[in-house]
Amino acid sequence: MYNNLTIDCGNTAIKAVIWEGKRAVWRHTFQEFSHTDAQAIVDRYAPKNAIGCSVADPNHPLRQILIDTFGNDNVLWLSNSTPMPITIGYGTPDTLGVDRIAAVAGAVALCPGKNMLVVDIGTAATYDVVTENGEFIGGNIAPGVGMRLKALHQFTARLPMVDSNGETPLFGSSTETAMRAGAINGIVAEIMYYYSKLPDGTRLIITGGWGNEIAELLPIKAIVKPCLVSIGLNSILMYNETK
């Protein structure tokens, strides 16, 4: 069985994963990704095909790096028109972030045939709903933890810039803890509210940099998958390899 490479270019980092079928055999996070990095991966793992996506720039230089390394026929660059193993019922698919598409595809690969709430807590917090038939019907977007704290500081006269890491009670007893608790517990409350509106038995899947921390605060069980977007990219690539 040959290897494949997935590249997830997010807002703050680039995640590369080598897959042997559905099994991840190597992971690495880059701040920058060059032709040298791509060639080093090829020399070590000999992946046959590659798939990439960029949340910020559909024409990210990373796309050309992959094409130069693998050849045009062996590179899939994810867009909303890419053939994929899910159905998109979003009203404006042209504006739908590819990271959200890949995360939902990853969730379907993990829990096929289940209703799911897919939560990605990074720079932004996204809450996406997928049906048991694998249809992505939509979701919501809100500020992430860091963005909430930064906005409170920038758009008020006296609130300080608070570190997101630290004591987080249910209700703060100081300005610092009140701001941190408001940001973090606010996301917990959002998850619980959305989850309460979905059918019984809905699976909750969480990813993103804050996934583990938020999951620990929830009163319900969540499946935490930090590399959910990469799982989805691999699922989409494998789906296209069989077409």
Side-chain angles (χ1 to χ4, degrees), residues 4 13 30 42 49 73 80 96 99 109 114-115 118 128 160 162 176 189 192 215 232 241:
N4 284 329
F30 297 86
V42 169
N49 300 312
D73 291 341
N80 50 54
L96 183 58
D99 57 328
K114 301 294 183 182
N115 293 305
V118 183
D128 292 317
V162 171
E176 177 182 341
M192 292 307 302
E241 287 174 341

Side-chain angles (χ1 to χ4, degrees), residues 8-9 21 24 50 64 70 77 99 107 141 164 174 176 184 210 212 231 237 241:
D8 166 24
C9 185
Q64 192 59 49
F70 290 86
W77 190 254
D99 57 328
I141 305 172
S164 57
S174 65
E176 177 182 341
I184 294 174
W210 273 86
N212 284 307
I231 294 171
L237 180 57
E241 287 174 341

Side-chain angles (χ1 to χ4, degrees), residues 159-238:
L159 291 178
M161 187 63 232
V162 171
D163 193 306
S164 57
N165 297 305
E167 183 186 0
T168 309
L170 179 59
F171 296 104
S173 57
S174 65
T175 298
E176 177 182 341
T177 56
M179 291 173 65
R180 187 182 300 113
I184 294 174
N185 293 334
I187 289 179
V188 172
E190 286 173 15
I191 293 173
M192 292 307 302
Y193 174 76
Y194 296 136
Y195 187 81
S196 73
K197 300 297 182 179
L198 297 175
D200 290 344
T202 294
R203 300 291 177 88
L204 172 61
I205 301 181
I206 302 181
T207 190
W210 273 86
N212 284 307
E213 289 83 354
I214 295 297
E216 290 178 358
L217 298 173
L218 292 168
I220 58 176
K221 181 180 179 181
I223 300 170
V224 181
K225 289 291 180 180
C227 290
L228 187 64
V229 170
S230 297
I231 294 171
L233 288 174
N234 186 52
S235 173
I236 293 168
L237 180 57
M238 294 178 68

Side-chain angles (χ1 to χ4, degrees), residues 118-178:
V118 183
V119 181
D120 189 342
I121 312 166
T123 303
T126 59
Y127 309 92
D128 292 317
V129 179
V130 57
T131 70
E132 60 187 359
N133 297 319
E135 182 181 8
F136 178 10
I137 61 174
N140 294 338
I141 305 172
V145 175
M147 193 183 296
R148 293 174 193 225
L149 293 172
K150 186 175 182 179
L152 286 170
H153 170 60
Q154 290 188 344
F155 294 107
T156 63
R158 297 182 62 187
L159 291 178
M161 187 63 232
V162 171
D163 193 306
S164 57
N165 297 305
E167 183 186 0
T168 309
L170 179 59
F171 296 104
S173 57
S174 65
T175 298
E176 177 182 341
T177 56

Side-chain angles (χ1 to χ4, degrees), residues 88-109:
I88 297 178
Y90 206 71
T92 56
D94 290 346
T95 68
L96 183 58
V98 290
D99 57 328
R100 294 173 66 192
I101 294 173
V104 167
V108 170

Side-chain angles (χ1 to χ4, degrees), residues 22-37:
K22 296 181 180 180
R23 184 172 70 93
V25 297
W26 175 83
R27 296 184 179 92
H28 190 74
T29 299
F30 297 86
Q31 295 306 310
E32 302 284 344
F33 192 85
S34 66
H35 283 85
T36 301
D37 296 318

